[in-house]
Amino acid sequence: MDFLQQRLSTKLVWIAIVFLLVALTAIGFSLLESWKFEGGAAAVNDMGSERMRSYRIVYLLSESMREPAHAAALRQDLVREMKAFEDVLEAIRRGDPARPLFLPRRPEIVGEVDAVLEQWRREIGPMVQAVLANSDVMAQHGQATALRPRMEQFVQRIDRLVRAIEQYNSRDIAFLRYTQLGLIALAVAGTVALIYLMFLLVVGPVSKLQEGLQRMARGELGTRLPIETRDEFGELAQGFNHMASHLQDLYNTLEERVAQKTRSLADKNRELAALYEVTTLLNEPAPTEVLCRGFLRKLIGLLDAQGGAVRLIDPKTRDIHLYIHEGLTAEFAREEQCLDMGECLCGEAAQSNTPIVQFLAPVHEPNVVFRCQKAGYQTVSVFAIRFRRQVLGIFNLYHREPRAFSAQERQMLETLGQNLGVAIENQRLVSRDRELAVSEERNLLAQELHDSIAQSLAFLNLQAQLLEDSLRRTAVDEAHGILAQIREGIQESYDDVRELLVHFRIRIKQEDIELTIRSSLERFESQTGIKTSCTVSGRGVPLSAEQQLQVLHILQEALSNVRKHSGASQVEFEMKRDRSYVFRVKDNGCGFDPGTLGDKTGSHVGLRIMKERAQRIGGEIRIDSRPGHGSEITLTLPITQQEEAAA
């Protein structure tokens, strides 16, 4: 049971270790028996070679006596064979595990080997040595004849020893076969045991888990698995039971959860709808008062309030002024018209930049802490109107009954306060932009009036004084000449005024500037009689309305300079559209020296105005002219946007 309570990984490791030890033991035992059998077989072979060497010793001895001419060589071979016989017999007796070579460790076999070695040393070897040492031929034949039966007995003894070793090896072979059969049986039993353990430890728990899952799939939520072990499958069973309990609880409370989620989604949708409506309202182009009133009415209807107010902070005095209110009595609105920073709940919320929801107990005494409590309100909420980190004002919601605000409602009201702050600041920025645009355009208009009509009027004033002097001196001819100059100055001033009127009444009605430019050139040609031509090439991103208006003003100013100063008979206009816009006005008039543009005489004020207009839209003016060779004015307007795919 202790084994079954262990973890699955530990069980598998122990099973693998046990099987490995059993397998290694069986294999080692088999190798040992094989090694012993191999050593015994080597001993049989060496003893067989000893028998053959005995016959060879007898043969060499007889040959040495029969052929005296070769006796010396034969005797050397005989000595070597005798030494080899004794060395091999000694090696068999001692054994050699490296070959392997060893005798079976049985007393009768070991004793027989010792007896063979002893007989060789005491009897056979000395008899052979005696034959070799005797020089008498007849005596040698007699000794050799006596040696032959001894040698046959010695060989028979070696044969008996070989048969004894072979019998012992046969027993080892039989034992090895039985061992191999035992290994087969052990492998079969181990496999069966391993399969049983796998079923017990893995397949069984997996089957139970699968059965539990199938029952859960059929809707049997009360299914539970028995926890029989503390291993991984026990943890899985415990986790399965926990999951089943959780699913059963979820199923039992499903309707309640669905209803709760439905209510939550309804609240979220209502909040999102309110945010969308209020955001849409605040993004409309309307005055700040209209935006604040619409914002307040939306919140009053959304949160069932009986009144509300929007208060803005004066950035200079830090006073809080009542800007818009809904549902408040005239007396209460008059009392709350202006508050100091930190005064009452509204001033405290504005000063701390923290929303406040205050519950007020109904009272009937005339002396109360809060004026809203005197007005009969029991819940007052105050939220800041912020733009970035700046507090622009606050807005209030008044309820005559206790009203709690959830965290979602508080977050929604804070977000709406930020949106209202952005809308108010946007209105302020739009108003400032309009004022700045009007101021800049008035400055340009003042410059043009000063540099054109004002100079003409100054010239006419001087001519009027000269005319008065001529009339006083009754210089009639001189007076007629001055009068002609006055008439010419008046006509020029009239043309300037008319040109300015046309210049400042121009409107861009097309998205593309090309048609408007062509219309301006045609009108210039009809008014002045100077021929014009227009060339347009390329495609590019359309210019904004402000860019188009400034380009047209620059073109009008260039054409006005041509009319006033150049004396030209032809004007060429070219527009190239690409990643940058290039506008070029070229005339064939008298031209001028560009080096005089920096003088202070005021004769080239129109060119300075053109440069100022180009700088307003990020453009650059280049002037090329020489006296007697006409003038060329180029406006380059870089466009940073990529070209449209349709272009």
Side-chain angles (χ1 to χ4, degrees):
M1 291 302 294
D2 293 339
F3 176 75
L4 293 178
Q5 295 302 323
Q6 294 179 355
R7 298 187 63 83
L8 180 61
S9 57
T10 306
K11 298 175 188 176
L12 296 178
V13 169
W14 277 112
I15 291 173
I17 291 175
V18 170
F19 271 83
L20 178 62
L21 292 176
V22 172
L24 290 177
T25 302
I27 294 172
F29 188 75
S30 299
L31 291 176
L32 177 62
E33 292 298 322
S34 300
W35 183 66
K36 290 168 61 178
F37 173 73
E38 187 178 357
V44 170
N45 291 334
D46 287 353
M47 290 303 296
S49 67
E50 291 290 271
R51 180 175 55 190
M52 295 303 297
R53 192 171 282 110
S54 300
Y55 288 138
R56 181 170 175 77
I57 289 171
V58 174
Y59 168 75
L60 291 174
L61 183 62
S62 63
E63 286 295 318
S64 66
M65 291 186 299
R66 190 171 61 84
E67 296 182 4
H70 302 286
L74 293 172
R75 288 184 177 185
Q76 290 180 358
D77 291 340
L78 181 60
V79 172
R80 284 196 298 270
E81 289 295 333
M82 291 177 65
K83 186 176 187 311
F85 183 90
E86 186 174 353
D87 291 341
V88 170
L89 196 60
E90 182 66 28
I92 293 174
R93 180 176 176 274
R94 187 175 58 252
D96 186 5
R99 287 184 55 180
L101 171 64
F102 52 85
L103 289 172
R105 294 304 170 187
R106 297 185 65 86
E108 60 272 17
I109 294 177
V110 175
E112 186 64 21
V113 172
D114 292 339
V116 170
L117 182 59
E118 183 68 21
Q119 185 179 359
W120 168 262
R121 290 176 177 176
R122 290 180 177 273
E123 181 179 354
I124 303 300
M127 291 179 70
V128 174
Q129 292 290 340
V131 173
L132 292 175
N134 198 342
S135 60
D136 186 3
V137 177
M138 295 303 292
Q140 285 182 344
H141 282 286
Q143 291 176 346
T145 302
L147 176 63
R148 185 176 293 112
R150 295 287 186 182
M151 184 62 73
E152 289 179 356
Q153 294 176 359
F154 183 71
V155 170
Q156 291 176 359
R157 191 170 190 173
I158 292 176
D159 288 340
R160 290 194 299 271
L161 178 60
V162 169
R163 286 194 296 271
I165 296 174
E166 288 178 346
Q167 290 176 0
Y168 186 81
N169 286 345
S170 298
R171 290 195 296 270
D172 285 344
I173 291 173
F175 186 75
L176 180 61
R177 289 175 180 172
Y178 293 146
T179 303
Q180 291 175 344
L181 292 175
L183 288 177
I184 294 174
L186 181 63
V188 173
T191 303
V192 173
L194 184 61
I195 293 174
Y196 172 75
L197 288 175
M198 289 298 103
F199 270 93
L200 179 64
L201 300 178
V202 179
V203 179
V206 170
S207 300
K208 293 180 181 179
L209 182 61
Q210 184 179 10
E211 181 183 359
L213 291 175
Q214 292 175 354
R215 292 176 62 187
M216 289 289 293
R218 292 194 299 267
E220 300 177 12
L221 301 181
T223 302
R224 300 293 185 271
L225 295 180
I227 303 176
E228 300 174 349
T229 61
R230 292 196 298 268
D231 58 5
E232 287 81 354
F233 284 107
E235 294 177 358
L236 284 176
Q238 186 177 2
F240 177 87
N241 295 338
H242 180 72
M243 179 193 67
S245 300
H246 186 62
L247 287 177
Q248 192 172 17
D249 293 340
L250 288 178
Y251 183 79
N252 294 333
T253 60
L254 181 61
E255 294 183 359
E256 181 181 354
R257 290 175 179 270
V258 170
Q260 183 179 0
K261 290 296 182 182
T262 302
R263 291 192 298 270
S264 177
L265 289 176
D267 294 338
K268 291 291 185 182
N269 290 334
R270 185 168 61 90
E271 293 176 7
L272 290 176
L275 285 173
Y276 176 76
E277 292 178 1
V278 174
T279 304
T280 303
L281 172 67
L282 296 179
N283 287 330
E284 293 180 356
T288 304
E289 181 179 357
V290 175
L291 294 179
C292 292
R293 191 174 298 279
F295 171 84
L296 198 58
R297 289 176 177 176
K298 289 285 185 182
L299 291 187
I300 290 176
L302 178 65
L303 300 174
D304 298 328
Q306 285 73 48
V310 174
R311 307 170 189 265
L312 299 181
I313 300 175
D314 188 345
K316 295 181 180 180
T317 63
R318 304 299 293 169
D319 291 335
I320 305 174
H321 298 279
L322 183 62
Y323 187 64
I324 295 295
H325 64 87
E326 289 286 334
L328 304 182
T329 63
E331 180 182 0
F332 180 62
R334 185 171 58 255
E335 293 176 351
E336 295 281 319
Q337 188 64 39
C338 181
L339 299 176
D340 295 331
M341 185 68 68
E343 180 184 357
C344 196
L345 295 174
C346 300
E348 181 182 349
Q351 187 176 25
S352 62
N353 193 12
T354 304
I356 293 178
V357 176
Q358 184 71 36
F359 299 100
L360 306 174
V363 295
H364 303 285
E365 295 81 2
N367 297 325
V368 294
V369 178
F370 303 111
R371 287 187 288 269
C372 49
Q373 187 177 13
K374 179 181 177 181
Y377 299 110
Q378 296 188 28
T379 304
V380 179
S381 57
V382 187
F383 294 89
I385 302 173
R386 293 195 301 268
F387 175 73
R388 296 179 181 174
R389 297 184 179 181
Q390 180 183 3
V391 179
L392 304 181
I394 58 173
F395 66 91
N396 306 91
L397 292 176
Y398 298 95
H399 293 82
R400 296 192 179 277
E401 300 294 334
R403 172 67 158 84
F405 288 83
S406 63
Q408 291 80 1
E409 289 177 334
R410 288 173 179 262
Q411 184 177 3
M412 179 189 69
L413 291 173
E414 290 181 13
T415 303
L416 291 177
Q418 294 177 1
N419 291 339
L420 179 59
V422 172
I424 293 174
E425 188 65 21
N426 286 340
Q427 291 296 324
R428 291 180 180 178
L429 292 177
V430 169
S431 177
R432 291 174 185 174
D433 289 342
R434 290 175 180 173
E435 292 177 1
L436 181 60
V438 171
S439 176
E440 291 180 355
E441 198 61 36
R442 285 178 178 177
N443 290 335
L444 290 175
L445 177 60
Q447 289 179 2
E448 295 195 10
L449 289 175
H450 176 271
D451 297 325
S452 58
I453 299 176
Q455 292 182 2
S456 298
L457 292 177
F459 171 74
L460 292 176
N461 186 23
L462 181 60
Q463 294 299 321
Q465 295 177 9
L466 294 176
L467 177 61
E468 182 180 2
D469 182 64
S470 298
L471 292 176
R472 187 169 53 251
R473 291 186 288 103
T474 65
V476 178
D477 294 336
E478 182 180 352
H480 282 292
I482 295 174
L483 186 59
Q485 292 181 1
I486 292 175
R487 187 181 299 109
E488 182 180 355
I490 293 173
Q491 182 62 38
E492 184 176 355
S493 297
Y494 173 74
D495 293 338
D496 288 340
V497 171
R498 184 176 179 182
E499 184 176 355
L500 286 175
L501 292 175
V502 174
H503 186 64
F504 286 100
R505 287 181 179 178
I506 189 168
R507 292 293 183 269
I508 306 297
K509 298 182 180 180
Q510 296 86 8
E511 292 183 358
D512 194 349
I513 196 175
E514 178 182 351
L515 296 178
T516 306
I517 289 177
R518 291 184 182 275
S519 176
S520 298
L521 291 175
E522 291 176 359
R523 185 167 58 252
F524 174 78
E525 183 175 351
S526 65
Q527 291 177 354
T528 62
I530 300 175
K531 294 183 179 180
T532 61
S533 64
C534 181
T535 303
V536 179
S537 61
R539 294 181 177 180
V541 179
L543 299 177
S544 65
E546 173 66 16
Q547 290 173 327
Q548 294 186 42
L549 183 62
Q550 297 302 330
V551 168
L552 288 176
H553 285 333
I554 293 172
L555 174 61
Q556 291 283 358
E557 189 65 37
L559 294 177
S560 176
N561 289 337
V562 171
R563 177 183 63 81
K564 292 179 181 179
H565 309 295
S566 69
S569 62
Q570 186 176 356
V571 175
E572 299 177 2
F573 176 79
E574 181 183 5
M575 180 174 69
K576 293 182 180 180
R577 291 180 291 193
D578 198 357
R579 296 182 66 85
S580 296
Y581 272 72
V582 178
F583 304 90
R584 185 174 291 108
V585 179
K586 183 177 181 181
D587 64 73
N588 61 350
C590 61
F592 62 94
D593 182 9
T596 63
L597 294 179
D599 61 13
K600 305 299 183 179
T601 60
S603 58
H604 299 290
V605 176
L607 296 177
R608 291 203 304 271
I609 295 176
M610 292 165 60
K611 290 184 178 181
E612 292 177 1
R613 289 188 178 277
Q615 291 175 357
R616 292 179 62 183
I617 56 176
E620 181 181 0
I621 293 288
R622 188 180 74 251
I623 300 174
D624 297 320
S625 180
R626 285 190 302 166
H629 292 82
S631 302
E632 181 177 304
I633 298 178
T634 303
L635 168 63
T636 303
L637 185 61
I639 304 297
T640 57
Q641 295 89 346
Q642 296 290 332
E643 294 184 3
E644 294 178 337

